Amino acid sequence: MYKFQPILKSLIWGGEKIAPYKGISTDQRNIGESWELSGVKDNESVVAEGPEAGTTLPGLIARHGAALLGKENYERFGEEFPLLIKFIDARQDLSIQVHPNDELAWERHKSKGKTEMWYVVSADKDAHLRSGFSKQVTPAQYEASVADNTITDILADYKIHPGDVFFLPAGRVHSIGAGSFIAEIQQTSNITYRIYDFNRRDADGNTRELHTEQAKGAIDYTVLPDYRTHYEAAQDARVELVSCPYFTTSLYDMTRPQTLDLAALDSFVVAICIEGRGTLTDDSGATVTVHQGETVLIPASARSLTFTPDGGMKVLTSWIG
């Protein structure tokens, strides 16, 4: 089992919640994102402790192959880790954006697309986010709404609370709002089309590049009655939140030990500790401690995994398959 050094990103809209949440000391300010587990080029996660400390995530895959990823995943992705795990702290509204699907991303960028999900860890009193269109619009109407600064009027806007979940398939227009603290699980892709940035300027007075025209062909204009993912919360049981071809994510809210039978699962497991602390133990007896804000990668070779909370612990798990 592996823990990694977080990759902290200072961003124009970033806040000051990530470091204290994770229990780390840093002089870095305006940390908008902590990349917890990443195989993205030039942003590769590095093992933080143990005999393989200092090894990059791609280096681990090169060394262990299917034993780490799972046979089918290794055949499908090779030495590219297929998920990107982040914490996001939005002090300001993030840009309105969209991501292309696999087909369009390959056609335009020779890359994979980007389907993702959000789990709300915490939220300020008036925190909100946007997901999907609130009414049917044409591509021309979308473009006009960007030009006249009214695009927020045609997006579904949600006040959020801890535990809220949003699934964001590629093509869905979205934006994280000010006061949101979120765990994000996504395909490994860094392709984002920035549609609208509230005419924001950086310290040098420059606006950020927009991709309004590229986004027009990537957007799914389908309107849904509700874009929130609904689930029944339960203690000491697996609660599945999202299942799609790119990841399956579940929530465990634990007051006592829980054991996952992984014998039939041909995949790595990512465990993201959202709240509390405890230990993870695999079938070989290997144990790792984990606390709020930490992420652990469990190799596909593990046949079982036991969570032992220290008082209480909430964990998100994700795998492929």
Side-chain angles (χ1 to χ4, degrees):
M1 291 185 285
Y2 303 97
K3 291 162 73 172
F4 296 84
Q5 300 170 10
I7 302 170
L8 305 178
K9 305 271 189 177
S10 291
L11 297 160
I12 188 173
W13 44 260
E16 304 299 336
K17 297 175 182 174
I18 284 178
Y21 173 76
K22 291 178 62 62
I24 57 179
S25 179
T26 176
D27 294 330
Q28 195 170 337
R29 309 292 294 183
N30 302 117
I31 300 171
E33 297 182 348
S34 174
W35 289 26
E36 297 292 296
L37 191 54
S38 166
V40 174
K41 183 175 172 55
D42 300 323
N43 288 276
E44 295 91 348
S45 293
V46 174
V47 178
E49 57 189 49
E52 295 184 272
T55 306
T56 65
L57 181 53
L60 282 183
I61 299 171
R63 186 175 299 166
H64 300 290
L68 182 68
L69 291 187
K71 184 175 181 294
E72 288 190 14
N73 287 334
Y74 190 53
E75 291 172 354
R76 179 178 171 189
F77 300 107
E79 293 185 4
E80 179 183 55
F81 191 73
L83 296 181
L84 175 56
I85 310 298
K86 302 177 183 179
F87 288 113
I88 299 174
D89 173 22
R91 181 176 52 87
Q92 303 174 8
D93 286 354
L94 274 65
S95 61
I96 295 170
Q97 55 191 238
V98 73
H99 310 295
N101 61 23
D102 285 345
E103 183 179 12
L104 187 60
W106 185 255
E107 177 186 320
R108 291 181 175 179
H109 310 282
K110 294 296 182 283
S111 172
K112 292 181 176 62
K114 188 171 172 181
T115 285
E116 58 191 346
M117 67 164 286
W118 294 331
Y119 178 92
V120 179
V121 178
S122 67
D124 292 350
K125 181 181 177 183
D126 296 319
H128 69 109
L129 55 78
R130 300 179 178 95
S131 178
F133 289 109
S134 59
K135 63 180 182 180
Q136 193 67 57
V137 298
T138 66
Q141 288 171 323
Y142 142 78
E143 200 166 22
S145 75
V146 174
D148 66 10
N149 300 298
T150 60
I151 187 165
T152 56
D153 296 342
I154 61 173
L155 298 179
D157 198 314
Y158 293 88
K159 186 174 181 179
I160 56 170
H161 306 88
D164 285 349
V165 173
F166 290 82
F167 176 59
L168 303 159
R172 183 166 295 168
V173 177
H174 59 272
S175 173
I176 297 174
S180 305
F181 190 97
I182 283 170
E184 181 176 87
I185 298 159
Q186 60 163 88
Q187 284 178 271
T188 291
S189 170
N190 212 20
I191 299 174
T192 295
Y193 297 148
R194 189 181 297 117
I195 293 170
Y196 184 72
D197 199 35
F198 305 95
N199 299 314
R200 190 161 30 203
R201 296 180 181 274
D202 64 18
D204 298 320
N206 300 313
T207 57
R208 294 197 293 176
E209 181 184 5
L210 300 181
H211 314 98
T212 312
E213 180 62 30
Q214 283 178 293
K216 185 165 68 171
I219 290 171
D220 180 354
Y221 293 89
T222 305
V223 176
L224 300 180
D226 187 2
Y227 297 94
R228 197 190 302 266
T229 297
H230 296 276
Y231 66 95
E232 290 292 329
Q235 281 194 327
D236 300 315
R238 178 188 171 215
V239 178
E240 186 174 289
L241 303 178
V242 171
S243 181
C244 71
Y246 305 107
F247 49 80
T248 296
T249 300
S250 302
L251 173 65
Y252 291 85
D253 181 359
M254 291 168 282
T255 63
R256 60 176 187 264
Q258 298 285 299
T259 297
L260 284 63
D261 182 357
L262 306 177
L265 182 66
D266 181 30
S267 175
F268 62 87
V269 176
V270 178
I272 309 162
C273 186
I274 297 299
E275 186 179 307
R277 63 177 58 245
T279 58
L280 280 62
T281 307
D282 68 16
D283 55 291
S284 72
T287 298
V288 62
T289 60
V290 65
H291 62 70
Q292 169 183 293
E294 289 190 319
T295 299
V296 180
L297 176 62
I298 298 94
S301 56
R303 313 309 288 164
S304 69
L305 180 68
T306 299
F307 296 116
T308 304
D310 181 3
M313 181 167 62
K314 284 186 182 179
V315 175
L316 293 174
T317 62
S318 279
W319 60 73
I320 299 176

